[in-house]
Amino acid sequence: MAGLAGIKTAVNVEDLRTRLFYTIGLLLIFRLGAHIPVPGVNPAVVAKLIESGALFGFFDVISGGAFKNFSVFAMSITPYINSSIIMQLLTVVIPYLEKLAKEGEEGRKKITQYTRYGTVILAFLQAIGMALFLRSALLHPGFFSYLVVAISLTAGTVFLMWLGEQITEKGIGNGISLLIFAGIVSRIPAGGARVLDYLQAGTINILSIVLLVVIAVAVIAGIVAVNEAQRRIPVQYTKRVVGRKVYGGQSTHLPLRVNMAGVIPVIFASSLLMFPEQVAGWLKGNVVADWYMRYFHWGSAAHTIIYALLIIGFTYFYTAVIMNPLDVAENIKKYGGFIPGIRPGRPTAEYISRVMTRITLAGAIFLALIAILPSFVLLATRIPHIYFGGTALLIVVGVALETMKQLEAHLLMRSYQGFIK
């Protein structure tokens, strides 16, 4: 009820109402674009591939069915996410980019521009790969057809990137995350209808559906708990006398989130594993390609293990990229703070690093388990083609929580009561 009251209050505030309607309007444009087909492609062939439980089932979910329809938004916003991740990783290794990241707003604008260029390049390469992989779906296979498909898909991704940036700037919430959120949520009715069809056909029974609901509720509760979980390191600030005023002297804490990387490692690992499978798809009939598809196809035991290990590795790597213990320790020392029992400077950085390593392990294992959850759900419920699994729930719950917090922040700035208590 508190949430509904907060939303009602937000609608009554003119600025927030404008932002909400602007966001909803752009999300509707996204949903309309998901039904604009790419020229020269037979969507029925693509739909059969997805129905067979192949690699692209998950990508169809996050694109909101755009891949199954093979619309201009079939690649969703994935190339932009990959470009952002790569750019963040490059800021660690390339001094020029690291310098730009520390230059404030102007530096961030340049990095954003490079990210956009990277998005276009990655989108075009991925679109060409997708056209070659799905050549059986092309009405008139040939160089011109491949080029039309690649340009159409790239244009769709670039338009989605623009939509996401507009939502972030003029709407409510993170635009890129909300586009993925809208795509996943739009697939819920179709998923529910499919489950009912299985029930009517006798493929599954009512106990399977009950078990699926119980698992979903448990997973949502776990996601909320892990997303909100923090390790709070106490920090004490000494008193400083500046003129006639006394500053500091208070106790606070440094919050370290258990899941600091969010869903980024899952998406990056998925994209990385998608590439060799695409290459193997181009080389059907080749001994090595057939061997790879036989033992490392999407959903196989070997693939699942590699997928989980990549997620754990990327979680550690991405967490280290977005939070440097040395910088945190220096900032605490700069403002006269210290962790009780720990010397300022390098000892503080080492202590923070140890704590981060431990809590990140818990977050990484949780992400890996959530990502491979659909395989176990299939074994437990016997409901086939469940793509709305742990990763989709992780994105939906995470984005919903983040958007609600942003709404609450806007309300609190205007002296209204928030709706997260």
Side-chain angles (χ1 to χ4, degrees):
M1 295 300 293
L4 292 176
I7 292 174
K8 183 179 178 181
T9 305
V11 172
N12 290 333
V13 180
E14 184 178 354
D15 178 44
L16 282 183
R17 183 170 63 245
T18 302
R19 285 178 172 268
L20 283 170
F21 288 159
Y22 185 82
T23 302
I24 293 171
L26 292 191
L27 290 178
L28 287 175
I29 292 174
F30 162 62
R31 292 308 306 147
L32 288 173
H35 299 280
I36 300 175
V38 173
V41 178
N42 184 357
V45 178
V46 181
K48 285 181 181 179
L49 178 64
I50 295 173
E51 292 296 332
S52 66
L55 162 70
F56 297 108
F58 169 70
F59 291 95
D60 183 57
V61 171
I62 65 174
S63 68
F67 186 85
K68 188 174 182 179
N69 300 329
F70 212 74
S71 79
V72 290
F73 294 163
M75 293 195 305
S76 187
I77 202 67
T78 307
Y80 177 80
I81 295 172
N82 292 335
S83 178
S84 301
I85 296 170
I86 292 170
M87 191 57 61
Q88 286 179 323
L89 300 181
L90 289 178
T91 55
V92 181
V93 254
I94 300 178
Y96 172 71
L97 293 177
E98 186 179 3
K99 182 182 176 182
L100 281 180
K102 294 179 180 179
E103 283 184 358
E105 188 63 29
E106 288 303 317
R108 282 194 293 270
K109 284 182 180 179
K110 288 185 179 180
I111 290 178
T112 300
Q113 197 67 27
Y114 295 149
T115 303
R116 291 170 182 161
Y117 295 148
T119 300
V120 175
I121 295 171
L122 289 177
F124 189 72
L125 293 175
Q126 185 176 334
I128 291 175
M130 195 174 287
L132 292 172
F133 187 83
L134 300 173
R135 55 186 176 272
S136 59
L138 297 180
L139 299 177
H140 305 287
F143 175 79
F144 183 73
S145 295
Y146 294 143
L147 188 62
V148 169
V149 170
I151 292 175
S152 300
L153 292 177
T154 303
T157 296
V158 171
F159 181 72
L160 286 182
M161 176 179 67
W162 179 82
L163 276 185
E165 291 178 350
Q166 294 303 305
I167 292 174
T168 302
E169 182 181 349
K170 302 176 183 177
I172 291 287
N174 182 288
I176 303 300
S177 299
L178 281 174
L179 290 176
I180 299 176
F181 173 88
I184 294 172
V185 171
S186 69
R187 301 301 293 158
I188 295 178
R194 175 180 293 174
V195 171
L196 290 178
D197 289 340
Y198 289 147
L199 181 63
Q200 291 175 356
T203 308
I204 60 174
N205 54 46
I206 191 67
L207 290 178
S208 298
I209 298 178
V210 172
L211 182 58
L212 179 63
V213 172
V214 170
I215 292 173
V217 171
V219 169
I220 291 173
I223 291 171
V224 173
V226 172
N227 274 356
E228 298 299 302
Q230 296 178 349
R231 168 68 188 276
R232 296 184 175 183
I233 299 177
V235 178
Q236 180 71 39
Y237 286 92
T238 56
K239 289 184 178 180
R240 292 180 299 156
V241 179
V242 181
R244 295 183 179 181
K245 294 184 178 180
V246 179
Y247 296 91
Q250 77 273 20
S251 296
T252 182
H253 63 268
L254 174 67
L256 297 179
R257 293 177 59 189
V258 173
N259 181 23
M260 201 173 296
V263 76
I264 295 295
V266 178
I267 295 176
F268 200 42
S270 301
S271 301
L272 192 65
L273 286 177
M274 177 182 174
F275 178 72
E277 189 152 349
Q278 277 188 327
V279 174
W282 302 339
L283 304 174
K284 281 183 181 179
N286 181 278
V287 177
V288 177
D290 291 344
W291 174 82
Y292 181 87
M293 293 297 289
R294 186 180 304 115
Y295 295 104
F296 294 93
H297 64 272
W298 195 274
S300 65
H303 178 278
T304 301
I305 293 171
I306 295 173
Y307 188 32
L309 291 176
L310 279 175
I311 290 172
I312 293 173
F314 283 137
T315 302
Y316 269 101
F317 195 76
Y318 192 72
T319 301
V321 168
I322 62 177
M323 184 171 182
N324 188 341
L326 279 172
D327 291 342
V328 175
E330 284 301 317
N331 286 332
I332 293 175
K333 182 180 178 181
K334 179 181 177 181
Y335 292 101
F338 63 93
I339 298 173
I342 307 294
R343 294 180 61 187
R346 182 165 289 277
T348 297
E350 292 174 350
Y351 175 75
I352 294 173
S353 180
R354 284 198 304 272
V355 174
M356 280 180 57
T357 300
R358 293 170 184 170
I359 64 174
T360 301
L361 178 62
I365 292 174
F366 176 78
L367 282 179
L369 289 176
I370 287 294
I372 64 177
L373 181 67
S375 301
F376 296 103
V377 173
L378 175 60
L379 291 174
T381 63
R382 302 294 179 184
I383 302 176
H385 308 312
I386 301 178
Y387 302 120
F388 190 81
T391 306
L393 287 175
L394 181 67
I395 296 172
V396 167
V397 174
V399 174
L401 288 172
E402 191 62 34
T403 305
M404 288 173 67
K405 286 178 181 178
Q406 285 202 24
L407 264 176
E408 184 186 47
H410 281 285
L411 289 172
L412 291 176
M413 281 194 300
R414 293 163 176 80
S415 301
Y416 287 106
Q417 181 182 14
F419 52 88
I420 300 179
K421 292 186 177 180

